[in-house]
Amino acid sequence: MEKILSTSEGSVNTNLIGDIDKENIIVLVPGLNGSVEYFKEIIPYLKDKYTVVTLDLLGQGKSTKAKNNHYTIDSEAWNLLEAIARLKITNQLVVFGYGVGGLIAVNMAELRGFTISKLILLNTPANDKYADMDASSTMANIPLLGHFAKSPVKAGLFFNKGFDRSTLKDPKVVDEAANSVDRKTSKMLQKMPTEYLGERALNKRLRAISIPVLALYADGDQILTDKGINDAKATIGRVPDLQIEDIKGAGHLAMMEKPEEVAKSIIKFDESTTKVEEAE
């Protein structure tokens, strides 16, 4: 059930699949210039275990632009929490975010940790040096997100080299999501992760929230790149209650390329870890 919900900073597009009273609820958070459509491949592998909630960030997809053009990781996270509250969900949440969406997921836990039981991050940067993930591509020293992603060649960089996008439910999903974000908004959105990690690196943030975290990294990620992946692993590798897992043969949007594998990793992690209040 897709619904537009009003928040203090705009209106958030949400999609609810399942019963709000179900014990297991997972929230899927998109990255920059993404949309709820990015999760069509993985939802079938999650919906038997979870009620699934997907949301468009302000300025993206079917959500409205933010009031006063105010875009920060904090404001995006708070607005997602507001939208979830309007769905009248009271159970604790497992939150999955890919790329910059992983940073928003972390900030959701920072803001309202008692509502979040576990985090799963996919190809998420750990330091501000790699937060502007598009700029470090080996293809060219130009942005690859936003309006540049409208080119099929640039959109292909979001996937592992050689991945056949015709196998997707919507082969043009990256182009379509990028087209929904105007150039000015895209530039403002791209500043969010650099500012957020510049204030405090990911390892320090994860240590402070102290909940189980699974960090997934794909070996074919052309956006975060090998350097960004290695930096992230080295940075967060010693955080307590954190597991790191590699996804072989997938790119930045691994949940599209290998949805069953990513879903299995999520479920295995969830079932093998204990909620914080239970551990206490």
Side-chain angles (χ1 to χ4, degrees):
M1 176 183 65
E2 203 162 343
K3 183 184 293 186
I4 304 290
L5 299 172
S6 295
T7 67
S8 58
E9 288 292 330
S11 296
V12 177
N13 179 50
T14 64
N15 191 21
L16 175 68
I17 301 99
D19 186 348
I20 61 170
D21 295 321
K22 194 169 184 175
E23 181 180 357
N24 298 311
I25 299 176
I26 188 166
V27 176
L28 309 180
V29 182
L32 295 184
N33 299 306
S35 78
V36 297
E37 304 301 319
Y38 275 25
F39 301 115
K40 281 187 174 180
E41 304 291 333
I42 197 171
I43 286 173
Y45 298 103
L46 295 172
K47 66 180 184 180
D48 288 343
K49 180 176 177 63
Y50 301 98
T51 289
V52 181
V53 182
T54 63
L55 309 99
D56 281 327
L57 302 182
L58 290 174
Q60 299 184 178
K62 296 178 184 177
S63 291
T64 65
K65 293 182 181 180
K67 295 177 182 177
N68 301 317
N69 286 325
H70 179 62
Y71 296 97
T72 64
I73 295 292
D74 184 90
S75 65
E76 291 283 10
W78 186 255
N79 277 280
L80 296 189
L81 288 167
E82 275 195 59
I84 292 166
R86 280 162 175 67
L87 291 172
K88 301 189 186 318
I89 293 173
T90 57
N91 290 341
Q92 279 197 320
L93 311 169
V94 174
V95 183
F96 169 91
Y98 79 89
V100 174
L103 300 180
I104 294 170
V106 171
N107 193 228
M108 290 169 71
E110 288 177 312
L111 293 171
R112 294 286 296 276
F114 64 91
T115 67
I116 315 292
S117 66
K118 299 169 191 179
L119 294 174
I120 298 98
L121 316 178
L122 172 62
N123 296 325
T124 296
N127 289 292
D128 57 344
K129 181 178 179 181
Y130 297 98
D132 188 14
M133 294 181 289
D134 54 304
S136 59
S137 168
T138 57
M139 294 295 291
N141 190 26
I142 58 173
L144 300 176
L145 301 180
H147 62 292
F148 287 105
K150 297 173 187 177
S151 161
V153 176
K154 297 299 187 293
L157 292 172
F158 286 78
F159 301 93
N160 192 31
K161 292 178 181 178
F163 176 72
D164 183 5
R165 280 178 282 155
S166 69
T167 61
L168 297 174
K169 290 180 172 64
D170 181 0
K172 295 183 179 180
V173 62
V174 172
D175 308 78
E176 292 165 350
N179 284 334
S180 73
V181 185
D182 66 57
R183 184 173 180 176
K184 182 180 178 181
T185 301
S186 180
K187 286 185 175 181
M188 289 187 285
L189 290 167
Q190 287 175 37
K191 293 179 181 178
M192 299 191 307
T194 304
E195 293 172 351
Y196 180 70
L197 291 176
E199 293 171 359
R200 200 178 190 194
L202 186 59
N203 60 329
K204 294 181 180 179
R205 293 180 181 277
L206 292 175
R207 285 179 181 274
I209 59 177
S210 188
I211 61 175
V213 180
L214 173 64
L216 302 170
Y217 288 99
D219 63 358
D221 188 342
Q222 301 182 78
I223 301 297
L224 184 53
T225 74
D226 289 343
K227 289 183 179 180
I229 291 171
N230 291 335
D231 173 79
K233 288 181 177 180
T235 299
I236 65 176
R238 294 185 179 181
V239 172
D241 299 316
L242 181 140
Q243 299 176 30
I244 295 177
E245 186 175 321
D246 294 323
I247 305 173
K248 302 293 185 182
H252 192 61
L253 295 174
M255 75 282 188
M256 286 192 204
E257 296 171 78
K258 296 199 171 185
E260 185 174 12
E261 180 178 334
V262 173
K264 284 181 177 179
S265 293
I266 291 170
I267 293 169
K268 181 181 178 181
F269 167 73
D270 189 14
E271 293 180 344
S272 64
T273 54
T274 306
K275 292 181 180 179
V276 173
E277 80 268 17
E278 290 177 357
E280 295 173 351

